[in-house]
Amino acid sequence: MLQDIGKQHDRSPGEVAIAWTLNNPAVTAAIVGARNPKQVEGIIAAGEFRLNQQELDQIGAILCENP
């Protein structure tokens, strides 16, 4: 699911996961780490990336089905 959404936006699954986490009202912060400059760029991009409501709902449904 994260791969499919990411492909639609030219984003990695990790970027999609971070974007979802930052949009989740139950989460106050996303703690992420990077091993190289490319990962830092992805983390920054994820912070600027916004998922639409349908994508948020799709990810939420998957999480509810697989707690």
Side-chain angles (χ1 to χ4, degrees):
M1 173 61 62
L2 297 180
Q3 289 177 342
D4 295 335
I5 292 171
K7 284 180 184 177
Q8 294 173 12
H9 298 282
D10 196 28
R11 305 286 181 156
S12 72
E15 289 175 64
V16 174
I18 293 168
W20 180 87
T21 301
L22 292 173
N23 190 67
N24 186 330
V27 176
T28 57
I31 300 172
V32 297
R35 295 188 178 128
N36 59 56
K38 186 174 180 181
Q39 288 179 338
V40 172
E41 291 172 12
I43 292 167
I44 292 168
E48 298 169 349
F49 176 49
R50 299 293 178 260
L51 296 163
N52 65 41
Q53 191 59 50
Q54 180 183 4
E55 293 163 337
L56 293 169
D57 292 344
Q58 289 174 334
I59 296 169
I62 296 260
L63 292 172
C64 285
E65 294 170 6
N66 301 285

Tab-separated table of all heavy atoms in Angstrom:
chain	number	residue	atom	x	y	z
A	1	MET	N	0.817	-1.192	0.000
A	1	MET	CA	0.000	0.000	0.000
A	1	MET	C	0.864	1.261	0.000
A	1	MET	O	0.631	2.166	-0.783
A	1	MET	CB	-0.935	-0.020	1.209
A	1	MET	CG	-1.713	1.260	1.407
A	1	MET	SD	-2.826	1.733	0.075
A	1	MET	CE	-3.946	0.378	0.062
A	2	LEU	N	1.846	1.332	0.894
A	2	LEU	CA	2.704	2.508	0.933
A	2	LEU	C	3.502	2.656	-0.360
A	2	LEU	O	3.718	3.763	-0.832
A	2	LEU	CB	3.645	2.450	2.134
A	2	LEU	CG	2.998	2.453	3.519
A	2	LEU	CD1	4.056	2.392	4.605
A	2	LEU	CD2	2.097	3.648	3.710
A	3	GLN	N	3.892	1.521	-0.921
A	3	GLN	CA	4.620	1.563	-2.195
A	3	GLN	C	3.727	2.107	-3.300
A	3	GLN	O	4.170	2.922	-4.112
A	3	GLN	CB	5.119	0.177	-2.577
A	3	GLN	CG	6.248	-0.309	-1.704
A	3	GLN	CD	6.664	-1.720	-2.064
A	3	GLN	OE1	5.946	-2.461	-2.720
A	3	GLN	NE2	7.855	-2.095	-1.615
A	4	ASP	N	2.485	1.658	-3.343
A	4	ASP	CA	1.554	2.114	-4.388
A	4	ASP	C	1.304	3.617	-4.280
A	4	ASP	O	1.339	4.331	-5.277
A	4	ASP	CB	0.229	1.363	-4.291
A	4	ASP	CG	0.372	-0.126	-4.567
A	4	ASP	OD1	1.336	-0.507	-5.267
A	4	ASP	OD2	-0.462	-0.899	-4.078
A	5	ILE	N	1.042	4.083	-3.081
A	5	ILE	CA	0.806	5.512	-2.876
A	5	ILE	C	2.074	6.295	-3.213
A	5	ILE	O	2.023	7.328	-3.879
A	5	ILE	CB	0.344	5.796	-1.433
A	5	ILE	CG1	-1.051	5.197	-1.207
A	5	ILE	CG2	0.343	7.301	-1.145
A	5	ILE	CD1	-1.519	5.232	0.238
A	6	GLY	N	3.215	5.789	-2.784
A	6	GLY	CA	4.468	6.455	-3.066
A	6	GLY	C	4.743	6.573	-4.557
A	6	GLY	O	5.182	7.626	-5.034
A	7	LYS	N	4.487	5.518	-5.307
A	7	LYS	CA	4.716	5.542	-6.757
A	7	LYS	C	3.876	6.616	-7.436
A	7	LYS	O	4.320	7.254	-8.378
A	7	LYS	CB	4.416	4.185	-7.368
A	7	LYS	CG	5.489	3.157	-7.115
A	7	LYS	CD	5.140	1.822	-7.748
A	7	LYS	CE	6.176	0.782	-7.391
A	7	LYS	NZ	5.831	-0.533	-7.940
A	8	GLN	N	2.654	6.818	-6.950
A	8	GLN	CA	1.773	7.830	-7.539
A	8	GLN	C	2.333	9.240	-7.367
A	8	GLN	O	2.006	10.141	-8.127
A	8	GLN	CB	0.386	7.745	-6.911
A	8	GLN	CG	-0.344	6.477	-7.226
A	8	GLN	CD	-1.642	6.355	-6.453
A	8	GLN	OE1	-2.121	7.310	-5.844
A	8	GLN	NE2	-2.225	5.166	-6.454
A	9	HIS	N	3.154	9.429	-6.349
A	9	HIS	CA	3.684	10.762	-6.030
A	9	HIS	C	5.201	10.847	-6.188
A	9	HIS	O	5.804	11.850	-5.792
A	9	HIS	CB	3.312	11.142	-4.596
A	9	HIS	CG	1.845	11.226	-4.351
A	9	HIS	ND1	1.085	12.307	-4.736
A	9	HIS	CD2	0.985	10.348	-3.766
A	9	HIS	CE1	-0.182	12.095	-4.389
A	9	HIS	NE2	-0.260	10.914	-3.804
A	10	ASP	N	5.802	9.786	-6.710
A	10	ASP	CA	7.252	9.719	-6.840
A	10	ASP	C	7.926	9.886	-5.475
A	10	ASP	O	8.863	10.668	-5.307
A	10	ASP	CB	7.767	10.759	-7.842
A	10	ASP	CG	9.191	10.473	-8.292
A	10	ASP	OD1	9.593	9.289	-8.294
A	10	ASP	OD2	9.908	11.429	-8.621
A	11	ARG	N	7.409	9.142	-4.504
A	11	ARG	CA	7.928	9.159	-3.129
A	11	ARG	C	8.243	7.731	-2.700
A	11	ARG	O	7.671	6.776	-3.204
A	11	ARG	CB	6.899	9.733	-2.150
A	11	ARG	CG	6.375	11.091	-2.477
A	11	ARG	CD	7.400	12.150	-2.192
A	11	ARG	NE	6.849	13.461	-2.489
A	11	ARG	CZ	7.286	14.558	-1.944
A	11	ARG	NH1	8.263	14.536	-1.080
A	11	ARG	NH2	6.751	15.717	-2.275
A	12	SER	N	9.108	7.588	-1.733
A	12	SER	CA	9.426	6.263	-1.197
A	12	SER	C	8.355	5.851	-0.180
A	12	SER	O	7.647	6.712	0.374
A	12	SER	CB	10.792	6.287	-0.519
A	12	SER	OG	10.720	6.999	0.702
A	13	PRO	N	8.253	4.543	0.083
A	13	PRO	CA	7.319	4.104	1.128
A	13	PRO	C	7.631	4.748	2.480
A	13	PRO	O	6.726	5.067	3.246
A	13	PRO	CB	7.530	2.590	1.171
A	13	PRO	CG	8.036	2.244	-0.184
A	13	PRO	CD	8.873	3.414	-0.607
A	14	GLY	N	8.915	4.955	2.760
A	14	GLY	CA	9.294	5.599	4.017
A	14	GLY	C	8.789	7.027	4.105
A	14	GLY	O	8.327	7.472	5.165
A	15	GLU	N	8.853	7.751	3.000
A	15	GLU	CA	8.347	9.124	2.973
A	15	GLU	C	6.840	9.140	3.201
A	15	GLU	O	6.322	10.003	3.914
A	15	GLU	CB	8.683	9.789	1.646
A	15	GLU	CG	10.149	10.104	1.486
A	15	GLU	CD	10.469	10.657	0.123
A	15	GLU	OE1	9.967	11.752	-0.210
A	15	GLU	OE2	11.222	10.005	-0.612
A	16	VAL	N	6.143	8.179	2.600
A	16	VAL	CA	4.687	8.089	2.791
A	16	VAL	C	4.378	7.793	4.254
A	16	VAL	O	3.487	8.406	4.850
A	16	VAL	CB	4.072	7.013	1.867
A	16	VAL	CG1	2.589	6.823	2.161
A	16	VAL	CG2	4.281	7.372	0.407
A	17	ALA	N	5.126	6.882	4.857
A	17	ALA	CA	4.909	6.537	6.266
A	17	ALA	C	5.143	7.740	7.176
A	17	ALA	O	4.367	7.985	8.103
A	17	ALA	CB	5.815	5.381	6.665
A	18	ILE	N	6.203	8.485	6.912
A	18	ILE	CA	6.478	9.676	7.727
A	18	ILE	C	5.383	10.713	7.544
A	18	ILE	O	4.900	11.305	8.519
A	18	ILE	CB	7.860	10.261	7.379
A	18	ILE	CG1	8.973	9.293	7.799
A	18	ILE	CG2	8.059	11.619	8.062
A	18	ILE	CD1	10.338	9.643	7.246
A	19	ALA	N	4.956	10.924	6.297
A	19	ALA	CA	3.880	11.893	6.031
A	19	ALA	C	2.607	11.486	6.757
A	19	ALA	O	1.910	12.327	7.330
A	19	ALA	CB	3.637	12.015	4.532
A	20	TRP	N	2.280	10.190	6.754
A	20	TRP	CA	1.076	9.719	7.453
A	20	TRP	C	1.230	9.954	8.958
A	20	TRP	O	0.308	10.439	9.618
A	20	TRP	CB	0.829	8.235	7.184
A	20	TRP	CG	-0.388	7.758	7.897
A	20	TRP	CD1	-1.672	7.812	7.453
A	20	TRP	CD2	-0.446	7.197	9.216
A	20	TRP	NE1	-2.520	7.321	8.420
A	20	TRP	CE2	-1.787	6.938	9.505
A	20	TRP	CE3	0.514	6.900	10.164
A	20	TRP	CZ2	-2.198	6.385	10.713
A	20	TRP	CZ3	0.108	6.349	11.379
A	20	TRP	CH2	-1.243	6.102	11.626
A	21	THR	N	2.396	9.629	9.485
A	21	THR	CA	2.639	9.806	10.913
A	21	THR	C	2.472	11.263	11.328
A	21	THR	O	1.825	11.565	12.343
A	21	THR	CB	4.051	9.318	11.276
A	21	THR	OG1	4.168	7.937	10.925
A	21	THR	CG2	4.347	9.497	12.747
A	22	LEU	N	3.025	12.164	10.541
A	22	LEU	CA	2.928	13.590	10.872
A	22	LEU	C	1.503	14.110	10.761
A	22	LEU	O	1.161	15.108	11.394
A	22	LEU	CB	3.852	14.399	9.958
A	22	LEU	CG	5.349	14.173	10.181
A	22	LEU	CD1	6.149	14.881	9.109
A	22	LEU	CD2	5.761	14.624	11.571
A	23	ASN	N	0.662	13.443	9.983
A	23	ASN	CA	-0.730	13.866	9.829
A	23	ASN	C	-1.644	13.244	10.882
A	23	ASN	O	-2.769	13.688	11.062
A	23	ASN	CB	-1.241	13.496	8.429
A	23	ASN	CG	-2.575	14.120	8.142
A	23	ASN	OD1	-2.676	15.329	8.032
A	23	ASN	ND2	-3.603	13.300	8.039
A	24	ASN	N	-1.158	12.246	11.597
A	24	ASN	CA	-1.971	11.542	12.579
A	24	ASN	C	-2.115	12.394	13.837
A	24	ASN	O	-1.121	12.705	14.498
A	24	ASN	CB	-1.311	10.202	12.904
A	24	ASN	CG	-2.146	9.334	13.798
A	24	ASN	OD1	-2.906	9.821	14.622
A	24	ASN	ND2	-2.006	8.037	13.648
A	25	PRO	N	-3.350	12.767	14.216
A	25	PRO	CA	-3.533	13.633	15.388
A	25	PRO	C	-3.130	12.973	16.708
A	25	PRO	O	-2.888	13.666	17.692
A	25	PRO	CB	-5.026	13.959	15.368
A	25	PRO	CG	-5.655	12.919	14.518
A	25	PRO	CD	-4.612	12.441	13.560
A	26	ALA	N	-3.023	11.644	16.741
A	26	ALA	CA	-2.620	10.950	17.960
A	26	ALA	C	-1.107	10.974	18.155
A	26	ALA	O	-0.615	10.601	19.213
A	26	ALA	CB	-3.111	9.500	17.919
A	27	VAL	N	-0.382	11.434	17.156
A	27	VAL	CA	1.079	11.458	17.209
A	27	VAL	C	1.546	12.903	17.384
A	27	VAL	O	1.127	13.787	16.657
A	27	VAL	CB	1.676	10.854	15.912
A	27	VAL	CG1	3.180	10.957	15.913
A	27	VAL	CG2	1.221	9.410	15.735
A	28	THR	N	2.406	13.110	18.356
A	28	THR	CA	2.902	14.471	18.591
A	28	THR	C	4.206	14.760	17.851
A	28	THR	O	4.541	15.918	17.621
A	28	THR	CB	3.127	14.724	20.095
A	28	THR	OG1	4.041	13.749	20.596
A	28	THR	CG2	1.816	14.644	20.851
A	29	ALA	N	4.955	13.715	17.490
A	29	ALA	CA	6.204	13.910	16.754
A	29	ALA	C	6.611	12.611	16.085
A	29	ALA	O	6.278	11.529	16.564
A	29	ALA	CB	7.307	14.364	17.692
A	30	ALA	N	7.324	12.740	14.995
A	30	ALA	CA	7.890	11.573	14.323
A	30	ALA	C	9.388	11.569	14.599
A	30	ALA	O	10.077	12.543	14.328
A	30	ALA	CB	7.625	11.644	12.832
A	31	ILE	N	9.872	10.496	15.175
A	31	ILE	CA	11.300	10.377	15.444
A	31	ILE	C	11.900	9.545	14.319
A	31	ILE	O	11.548	8.386	14.142
A	31	ILE	CB	11.558	9.719	16.815
A	31	ILE	CG1	10.926	10.569	17.913
A	31	ILE	CG2	13.048	9.515	17.038
A	31	ILE	CD1	10.951	9.932	19.278
A	32	VAL	N	12.764	10.169	13.547
A	32	VAL	CA	13.369	9.501	12.400
A	32	VAL	C	14.877	9.638	12.461
A	32	VAL	O	15.404	10.518	13.145
A	32	VAL	CB	12.836	10.078	11.064
A	32	VAL	CG1	11.345	9.838	10.922
A	32	VAL	CG2	13.123	11.567	10.962
A	33	GLY	N	15.547	8.773	11.766
A	33	GLY	CA	16.999	8.836	11.702
A	33	GLY	C	17.459	8.605	10.281
A	33	GLY	O	16.734	8.045	9.469
A	34	ALA	N	18.643	9.041	9.987
A	34	ALA	CA	19.182	8.883	8.641
A	34	ALA	C	20.628	8.411	8.723
A	34	ALA	O	21.362	8.789	9.637
A	34	ALA	CB	19.105	10.202	7.890
A	35	ARG	N	21.003	7.589	7.762
A	35	ARG	CA	22.369	7.084	7.696
A	35	ARG	C	23.208	7.770	6.633
A	35	ARG	O	24.418	7.594	6.592
A	35	ARG	CB	22.343	5.583	7.445
A	35	ARG	CG	21.743	4.812	8.584
A	35	ARG	CD	21.922	3.318	8.356
A	35	ARG	NE	21.388	2.599	9.492
A	35	ARG	CZ	20.514	1.619	9.417
A	35	ARG	NH1	20.081	1.228	8.248
A	35	ARG	NH2	20.085	1.044	10.493
A	36	ASN	N	22.539	8.510	5.743
A	36	ASN	CA	23.283	9.169	4.671
A	36	ASN	C	22.507	10.398	4.197
A	36	ASN	O	21.327	10.565	4.531
A	36	ASN	CB	23.549	8.194	3.519
A	36	ASN	CG	22.286	7.624	2.931
A	36	ASN	OD1	21.405	8.359	2.494
A	36	ASN	ND2	22.182	6.303	2.902
A	37	PRO	N	23.139	11.267	3.423
A	37	PRO	CA	22.487	12.498	2.968
A	37	PRO	C	21.214	12.260	2.147
A	37	PRO	O	20.271	13.037	2.247
A	37	PRO	CB	23.561	13.180	2.126
A	37	PRO	CG	24.844	12.677	2.672
A	37	PRO	CD	24.568	11.243	3.070
A	38	LYS	N	21.178	11.185	1.371
A	38	LYS	CA	19.979	10.904	0.574
A	38	LYS	C	18.770	10.648	1.478
A	38	LYS	O	17.666	11.098	1.195
A	38	LYS	CB	20.210	9.713	-0.354
A	38	LYS	CG	19.062	9.460	-1.291
A	38	LYS	CD	19.371	8.369	-2.285
A	38	LYS	CE	18.161	8.178	-3.185
A	38	LYS	NZ	18.376	7.132	-4.167
A	39	GLN	N	18.989	9.943	2.580
A	39	GLN	CA	17.904	9.697	3.520
A	39	GLN	C	17.453	10.996	4.188
A	39	GLN	O	16.267	11.182	4.430
A	39	GLN	CB	18.316	8.672	4.573
A	39	GLN	CG	18.416	7.272	4.017
A	39	GLN	CD	18.839	6.260	5.069
A	39	GLN	OE1	19.439	6.605	6.089
A	39	GLN	NE2	18.533	4.993	4.815
A	40	VAL	N	18.378	11.884	4.470
A	40	VAL	CA	18.016	13.185	5.049
A	40	VAL	C	17.109	13.940	4.081
A	40	VAL	O	16.090	14.518	4.485
A	40	VAL	CB	19.267	14.019	5.394
A	40	VAL	CG1	18.885	15.429	5.815
A	40	VAL	CG2	20.088	13.336	6.481
A	41	GLU	N	17.466	13.930	2.809
A	41	GLU	CA	16.637	14.587	1.797
A	41	GLU	C	15.231	13.992	1.777
A	41	GLU	O	14.240	14.722	1.665
A	41	GLU	CB	17.277	14.461	0.419
A	41	GLU	CG	18.545	15.261	0.257
A	41	GLU	CD	19.262	14.978	-1.054
A	41	GLU	OE1	18.669	14.336	-1.946
A	41	GLU	OE2	20.420	15.405	-1.180
A	42	GLY	N	15.122	12.651	1.886
A	42	GLY	CA	13.818	12.000	1.909
A	42	GLY	C	12.993	12.373	3.126
A	42	GLY	O	11.783	12.562	3.041
A	43	ILE	N	13.649	12.493	4.266
A	43	ILE	CA	12.949	12.873	5.496
A	43	ILE	C	12.414	14.297	5.374
A	43	ILE	O	11.268	14.576	5.742
A	43	ILE	CB	13.882	12.722	6.720
A	43	ILE	CG1	14.184	11.245	6.962
A	43	ILE	CG2	13.264	13.369	7.956
A	43	ILE	CD1	15.325	10.990	7.928
A	44	ILE	N	13.229	15.190	4.856
A	44	ILE	CA	12.777	16.572	4.659
A	44	ILE	C	11.609	16.616	3.685
A	44	ILE	O	10.602	17.288	3.932
A	44	ILE	CB	13.946	17.462	4.182
A	44	ILE	CG1	14.974	17.611	5.298
A	44	ILE	CG2	13.431	18.825	3.726
A	44	ILE	CD1	16.283	18.226	4.858
A	45	ALA	N	11.720	15.861	2.595
A	45	ALA	CA	10.638	15.816	1.599
A	45	ALA	C	9.358	15.262	2.212
A	45	ALA	O	8.260	15.743	1.918
A	45	ALA	CB	11.067	14.984	0.399
A	46	ALA	N	9.485	14.268	3.078
A	46	ALA	CA	8.304	13.683	3.719
A	46	ALA	C	7.594	14.692	4.604
A	46	ALA	O	6.371	14.697	4.706
A	46	ALA	CB	8.706	12.457	4.541
A	47	GLY	N	8.353	15.565	5.234
A	47	GLY	CA	7.759	16.600	6.078
A	47	GLY	C	6.957	17.616	5.291
A	47	GLY	O	6.028	18.223	5.811
A	48	GLU	N	7.297	17.767	4.033
A	48	GLU	CA	6.593	18.722	3.165
A	48	GLU	C	5.470	18.055	2.359
A	48	GLU	O	4.623	18.742	1.800
A	48	GLU	CB	7.601	19.352	2.202
A	48	GLU	CG	8.681	20.140	2.918
A	48	GLU	CD	9.831	20.537	2.012
A	48	GLU	OE1	9.919	20.034	0.872
A	48	GLU	OE2	10.659	21.352	2.459
A	49	PHE	N	5.473	16.729	2.311
A	49	PHE	CA	4.515	15.964	1.511
A	49	PHE	C	3.180	15.842	2.245
A	49	PHE	O	3.147	15.588	3.443
A	49	PHE	CB	5.115	14.583	1.244
A	49	PHE	CG	4.222	13.624	0.513
A	49	PHE	CD1	3.571	13.994	-0.643
A	49	PHE	CD2	4.055	12.338	0.970
A	49	PHE	CE1	2.768	13.102	-1.327
A	49	PHE	CE2	3.252	11.437	0.301
A	49	PHE	CZ	2.613	11.816	-0.849
A	50	ARG	N	2.101	16.021	1.527
A	50	ARG	CA	0.765	15.902	2.119
A	50	ARG	C	-0.022	14.818	1.386
A	50	ARG	O	-0.143	14.846	0.154
A	50	ARG	CB	-0.002	17.226	2.021
A	50	ARG	CG	0.653	18.375	2.753
A	50	ARG	CD	0.642	18.148	4.261
A	50	ARG	NE	1.308	19.222	4.961
A	50	ARG	CZ	2.547	19.163	5.423
A	50	ARG	NH1	3.281	18.100	5.246
A	50	ARG	NH2	3.074	20.183	6.071
A	51	LEU	N	-0.550	13.889	2.144
A	51	LEU	CA	-1.416	12.853	1.596
A	51	LEU	C	-2.837	13.397	1.508
A	51	LEU	O	-3.252	14.190	2.361
A	51	LEU	CB	-1.401	11.620	2.506
A	51	LEU	CG	-0.052	10.912	2.642
A	51	LEU	CD1	-0.059	9.998	3.857
A	51	LEU	CD2	0.255	10.130	1.388
A	52	ASN	N	-3.585	12.947	0.507
A	52	ASN	CA	-4.978	13.372	0.436
A	52	ASN	C	-5.822	12.496	1.368
A	52	ASN	O	-5.338	11.478	1.894
A	52	ASN	CB	-5.497	13.368	-1.007
A	52	ASN	CG	-5.557	11.992	-1.622
A	52	ASN	OD1	-5.947	11.013	-1.000
A	52	ASN	ND2	-5.159	11.903	-2.894
A	53	GLN	N	-7.042	12.871	1.592
A	53	GLN	CA	-7.889	12.168	2.559
A	53	GLN	C	-8.108	10.709	2.183
A	53	GLN	O	-8.117	9.836	3.047
A	53	GLN	CB	-9.231	12.882	2.725
A	53	GLN	CG	-10.046	12.358	3.896
A	53	GLN	CD	-9.314	12.500	5.227
A	53	GLN	OE1	-8.814	13.567	5.548
A	53	GLN	NE2	-9.235	11.434	6.004
A	54	GLN	N	-8.264	10.426	0.911
A	54	GLN	CA	-8.462	9.039	0.470
A	54	GLN	C	-7.233	8.189	0.821
A	54	GLN	O	-7.372	7.060	1.299
A	54	GLN	CB	-8.722	8.985	-1.026
A	54	GLN	CG	-8.940	7.575	-1.542
A	54	GLN	CD	-9.138	7.535	-3.052
A	54	GLN	OE1	-9.035	8.550	-3.730
A	54	GLN	NE2	-9.430	6.362	-3.558
A	55	GLU	N	-6.051	8.731	0.608
A	55	GLU	CA	-4.828	7.996	0.931
A	55	GLU	C	-4.691	7.793	2.439
A	55	GLU	O	-4.313	6.711	2.892
A	55	GLU	CB	-3.615	8.747	0.375
A	55	GLU	CG	-3.588	8.763	-1.138
A	55	GLU	CD	-2.676	9.808	-1.735
A	55	GLU	OE1	-2.364	10.824	-1.054
A	55	GLU	OE2	-2.279	9.622	-2.891
A	56	LEU	N	-5.022	8.814	3.205
A	56	LEU	CA	-4.995	8.675	4.664
A	56	LEU	C	-5.964	7.597	5.121
A	56	LEU	O	-5.631	6.782	5.996
A	56	LEU	CB	-5.343	10.012	5.325
A	56	LEU	CG	-4.334	11.141	5.144
A	56	LEU	CD1	-4.931	12.468	5.601
A	56	LEU	CD2	-3.047	10.838	5.883
A	57	ASP	N	-7.145	7.576	4.524
A	57	ASP	CA	-8.149	6.563	4.874
A	57	ASP	C	-7.682	5.161	4.499
A	57	ASP	O	-7.904	4.205	5.250
A	57	ASP	CB	-9.479	6.868	4.192
A	57	ASP	CG	-10.144	8.134	4.725
A	57	ASP	OD1	-9.750	8.613	5.816
A	57	ASP	OD2	-11.042	8.652	4.031
A	58	GLN	N	-7.039	5.018	3.332
A	58	GLN	CA	-6.529	3.707	2.901
A	58	GLN	C	-5.491	3.180	3.885
A	58	GLN	O	-5.536	2.013	4.292
A	58	GLN	CB	-5.896	3.803	1.515
A	58	GLN	CG	-6.874	3.998	0.394
A	58	GLN	CD	-6.175	4.237	-0.945
A	58	GLN	OE1	-5.041	4.720	-0.982
A	58	GLN	NE2	-6.851	3.895	-2.026
A	59	ILE	N	-4.566	4.029	4.271
A	59	ILE	CA	-3.540	3.611	5.220
A	59	ILE	C	-4.170	3.290	6.573
A	59	ILE	O	-3.847	2.285	7.208
A	59	ILE	CB	-2.444	4.686	5.353
A	59	ILE	CG1	-1.710	4.843	4.023
A	59	ILE	CG2	-1.472	4.335	6.482
A	59	ILE	CD1	-0.794	6.047	3.936
A	60	GLY	N	-5.100	4.118	7.015
A	60	GLY	CA	-5.792	3.865	8.282
A	60	GLY	C	-6.540	2.549	8.287
A	60	GLY	O	-6.520	1.814	9.286
A	61	ALA	N	-7.183	2.219	7.168
A	61	ALA	CA	-7.924	0.951	7.071
A	61	ALA	C	-6.981	-0.236	7.172
A	61	ALA	O	-7.282	-1.231	7.858
A	61	ALA	CB	-8.710	0.896	5.762
A	62	ILE	N	-5.842	-0.162	6.522
A	62	ILE	CA	-4.858	-1.246	6.586
A	62	ILE	C	-4.367	-1.423	8.017
A	62	ILE	O	-4.227	-2.538	8.506
A	62	ILE	CB	-3.660	-0.938	5.667
A	62	ILE	CG1	-4.119	-0.888	4.235
A	62	ILE	CG2	-2.526	-1.916	5.886
A	62	ILE	CD1	-3.872	-2.085	3.396
A	63	LEU	N	-4.115	-0.316	8.701
A	63	LEU	CA	-3.636	-0.399	10.082
A	63	LEU	C	-4.691	-0.989	11.008
A	63	LEU	O	-4.367	-1.733	11.930
A	63	LEU	CB	-3.199	0.978	10.570
A	63	LEU	CG	-1.941	1.535	9.892
A	63	LEU	CD1	-1.710	2.979	10.314
A	63	LEU	CD2	-0.736	0.672	10.194
A	64	CYS	N	-5.957	-0.677	10.763
A	64	CYS	CA	-7.036	-1.238	11.588
A	64	CYS	C	-7.166	-2.739	11.368
A	64	CYS	O	-7.460	-3.482	12.303
A	64	CYS	CB	-8.358	-0.540	11.265
A	64	CYS	SG	-8.475	1.097	11.960
A	65	GLU	N	-6.937	-3.176	10.150
A	65	GLU	CA	-7.029	-4.597	9.827
A	65	GLU	C	-5.833	-5.386	10.347
A	65	GLU	O	-5.912	-6.592	10.530
A	65	GLU	CB	-7.128	-4.803	8.310
A	65	GLU	CG	-8.410	-4.257	7.704
A	65	GLU	CD	-8.380	-4.242	6.186
A	65	GLU	OE1	-7.394	-4.760	5.585
A	65	GLU	OE2	-9.325	-3.706	5.591
A	66	ASN	N	-4.716	-4.700	10.552
A	66	ASN	CA	-3.476	-5.354	10.962
A	66	ASN	C	-2.862	-4.604	12.147
A	66	ASN	O	-1.826	-3.965	12.016
A	66	ASN	CB	-2.475	-5.351	9.799
A	66	ASN	CG	-3.015	-6.057	8.588
A	66	ASN	OD1	-3.076	-7.267	8.548
A	66	ASN	ND2	-3.440	-5.304	7.594
A	67	PRO	N	-3.517	-4.703	13.316
A	67	PRO	CA	-3.021	-3.936	14.475
A	67	PRO	C	-1.665	-4.386	14.971
A	67	PRO	O	-1.188	-5.409	14.819
A	67	PRO	CB	-4.093	-4.152	15.531
A	67	PRO	CG	-4.872	-5.337	15.108
A	67	PRO	CD	-4.661	-5.484	13.632
